[in-house]
Amino acid sequence: MLNLKDRIQELMAKLESEYASKTRKSADFFKKASRVLPGGTTYQIRFFKPYPIYVTKAKGVLVWDLDGNSYIDFWMGHGAHIMGHSPDFVVKAVNEAALNGTHLGYPNTLEVEYAELLTRVVPNAEMVRFSNSGTEANMYAVRLARAYTGRRYIVKIEGGWHGGYDALHVGVNPPFQGPESLGLPEEHIKYTLVVPYNDLNALEKALSSHDVAAVIMEPVLGSGGCIEPQPDYLRGVRDLTSRYGSLLIFDEVITGFRLALGGGQEYFNIKADVVTLGKIVGGGYPGAGAIVSNAEVMELLNQVKRPNARSRSFHGGTFTGNIVTLTAGYTLVSYLNSNRGVYEQLNSLWDWARRRMNEACETHDRLCWVTGVGSMTGIHFTKSKPVNAREAYQLRISEELYDLMHLYMRINNVLYMTEHMPHLLPSIIHTREHAQKLIDSLDGALSMVTSR
């Protein structure tokens, strides 16, 4: 009888042949792309074995590739498309706005109106500054926290991805220490401390032994596998940061406007000192990010009250407050604000889907576990259910199972990311039928592996 490793290799060979027949044009295009793009893509997580599909069109919950295949998309532009790809009402508003200028370069009225809207829907938000990405928002938020507290150290969570900013580009992947990239000197991360998710003891040890300006974390791990907080964990984080005088920064680039209109703060009823936003805050258009906080913290950015550049914390950027991005974001968030009931439907659907997916895992020799909160869903081929990113890697049964499932899903017209850490970010317009397709596809993949 074949062991698991041999079984996976046998199945991979079969599926790669099917995939090659289905995606011949993407295979040829990958060769072309590899000559001008390192690795054939513009972002390494968009590569998957043996080569990626190349998408030519997206609408609603579907994307189409060069070969004309359509796929149900559970990645939705890295989670940016909470209302699906290219919602007509957002596209219409943006196209009309662009007729009056695509980049004004001066203060505009919409940046004020959108900021007012965000202060109404995001808990604990009194003032806003827009940025060009989640990475930028986190970079400026860290600087702002250091300016406010006069402290040096930042604590982040293992597996937490906060963008490519040097000081936070550590502790994302095993072994969760040292720089995550070539060209990143150790000195750039020497004031960054990394602790596991769902571990209050490790957090308190870091807070009690260093002058910590802020703890930055996702309320629910995103790229770390959509792992949910244990009961009272977030409350414990809030209490510890308050006790030790550190700011709590919620990176809500994924959880913001997804778990609830007010993000993780609203969903878990935990108030952060600073919140960073991205993706959805731009309504699916590029260059989207924001920092929100109370007035006391945000006034450190105020050039009127602090005219000397060295007396304030710097924030800026050519495309901050861009009218196209703000129009898209304002239109989308206004819609969500007027239709708050969609969140109960969205979260209920994916609570049900995760239960059904976990039943499939249980049926098939408990090869996997499904984690998540609301619409955020992770799949883990681990020996037990992981409670943090370290366990999500260390408890793995087989790395090759991740490759196999991703390839099987593609052949069955289902797409998600990433190949080696499945975290799915479906939209509000995904239906029960779309969720059932995912459940059936997972069941099919597991049946293929466990059949004797």
Side-chain angles (χ1 to χ4, degrees):
M1 182 178 293
L2 291 174
N3 61 30
L4 181 61
K5 184 175 181 179
D6 291 339
R7 177 67 174 158
I8 292 171
Q9 289 179 345
E10 178 188 83
L11 291 170
M12 283 294 292
K14 176 178 178 293
L15 293 180
E16 284 181 357
S17 178
E18 290 183 39
Y19 183 65
S21 297
K22 183 185 179 79
T23 58
R24 296 184 188 278
K25 290 183 179 179
S26 281
D28 291 339
F29 206 79
F30 177 64
K31 296 175 184 176
K32 178 180 179 180
S34 296
R35 291 194 291 268
V36 291
L37 299 173
T41 66
T42 53
Y43 193 174
Q44 80 279 359
I45 65 171
R46 294 175 186 162
F47 172 82
F48 27 82
K49 299 174 183 175
Y51 54 85
I53 61 163
Y54 287 85
V55 171
T56 59
K57 178 184 175 183
K59 183 66 178 176
V61 301
L62 299 178
V63 297
W64 287 262
D65 69 11
L66 270 173
D67 291 88
N69 301 304
S70 64
Y71 304 81
I72 301 174
D73 184 10
F74 290 97
W75 182 236
M76 303 309 293
H78 298 240
H81 303 306
I82 191 70
M83 286 299 297
H85 289 281
S86 300
D88 291 340
F89 69 99
V90 174
V91 173
K92 181 176 183 291
V94 168
N95 289 344
E96 290 175 353
L99 293 175
N100 291 319
T102 60
H103 176 54
L104 305 180
Y106 295 101
N108 61 76
T109 56
L110 186 57
E111 62 189 9
V112 178
E113 293 170 14
Y114 195 7
E116 288 176 336
L117 174 60
L118 291 178
T119 61
R120 291 197 299 270
V121 302
V122 178
N124 212 32
E126 294 177 341
M127 302 188 84
V128 179
R129 275 288 184 96
F130 294 104
S131 65
N132 293 307
S133 66
T135 294
E136 277 195 10
N138 285 323
M139 176 182 73
Y140 287 122
V142 164
R143 183 181 294 170
L144 186 58
R146 284 174 167 150
Y148 181 78
T149 62
R151 299 178 178 182
R152 297 170 295 171
Y153 283 89
I154 301 295
V155 174
K156 65 159 294 187
I157 304 298
E158 285 180 354
W161 169 245
H162 303 292
Y165 169 47
D166 281 4
L168 298 177
H169 202 35
V170 59
V172 181
N173 299 292
F176 301 113
Q177 59 186 6
E180 289 279 340
S181 170
L182 289 177
L184 175 55
E186 289 273 0
E187 290 78 9
H188 288 210
I189 58 171
K190 71 178 181 178
Y191 293 120
T192 305
L193 309 172
V194 184
V195 301
Y197 189 65
N198 281 322
D199 190 335
L200 291 175
N201 290 330
L203 176 61
E204 182 164 21
K205 183 178 179 181
L207 290 170
S208 64
S209 57
H210 296 81
D211 61 327
V212 176
V215 174
I216 184 168
M217 66 179 298
E218 299 170 288
V220 179
L221 281 184
S223 67
C226 288
I227 296 175
E228 63 270 22
Q230 297 292 294
D232 298 324
Y233 170 64
L234 294 178
R235 173 60 58 194
V237 173
R238 175 67 281 181
D239 290 345
L240 284 173
T241 51
S242 296
R243 186 189 314 164
Y244 286 97
S246 304
L247 295 186
L248 175 58
I249 302 173
F250 269 2
D251 176 341
E252 299 231 43
V253 169
I254 292 177
T255 55
F257 312 110
R258 173 168 290 279
L259 296 183
L261 185 63
Q265 288 192 104
E266 178 183 334
Y267 187 91
F268 295 109
N269 192 29
I270 302 291
K271 301 295 172 59
D273 299 300
V274 181
V275 171
T276 57
L277 301 167
K279 302 184 193 302
I280 299 172
V281 82
Y285 279 71
I291 311 158
V292 302
S293 185
N294 59 60
E296 184 180 5
V297 172
M298 295 294 281
E299 287 290 10
L300 285 171
L301 303 171
N302 189 330
Q303 76 285 347
V304 176
K305 292 183 177 179
R306 296 171 174 267
N308 186 321
R310 297 192 178 188
S311 70
R312 63 179 183 269
S313 184
F314 175 78
H315 163 266
T318 299
F319 283 96
T320 53
N322 174 264
I323 195 67
V324 169
T325 303
L326 292 195
T327 297
Y330 180 78
T331 302
L332 180 67
V333 175
S334 294
Y335 174 87
L336 295 173
N337 188 36
S338 299
N339 296 273
R340 291 179 180 235
V342 297
Y343 286 103
E344 183 177 352
Q345 300 167 28
L346 174 68
N347 293 339
S348 176
L349 171 60
W350 289 97
D351 286 344
W352 168 80
R354 277 191 299 278
R355 288 195 300 271
R356 292 292 309 278
M357 293 165 75
N358 262 315
E359 288 171 6
C361 296
E362 180 68 34
T363 300
H364 297 291
D365 301 338
R366 190 40 98 174
L367 270 180
C368 55
W369 299 82
V370 180
T371 60
V373 175
S375 59
M376 298 175 64
T377 299
I379 304 171
H380 305 270
F381 292 98
T382 50
K383 297 172 185 176
S384 59
K385 184 178 180 180
V387 300
N388 55 45
R390 183 175 290 267
E391 290 189 358
Y393 285 100
Q394 290 183 344
L395 297 177
R396 291 188 171 196
I397 297 169
S398 164
E399 287 289 343
E400 290 74 22
L401 273 171
Y402 292 86
D403 295 334
L404 181 69
M405 186 177 76
H406 199 277
L407 184 56
Y408 179 88
M409 291 287 194
R410 274 177 272 154
I411 291 171
N412 285 274
N413 303 92
V414 170
L415 276 183
Y416 66 84
M417 296 280 265
T418 62
E419 187 177 32
H420 291 290
M421 181 60 86
H423 49 294
L424 291 69
L425 303 169
S427 73
I428 287 168
I429 67 170
H430 279 80
T431 64
R432 193 179 183 93
E433 289 70 30
H434 296 132
Q436 188 64 56
K437 170 69 172 175
L438 176 66
I439 296 163
D440 292 343
S441 297
L442 174 63
D443 185 68
L446 297 175
S447 296
M448 178 181 64
V449 174
T450 58
S451 62
R452 299 292 187 263

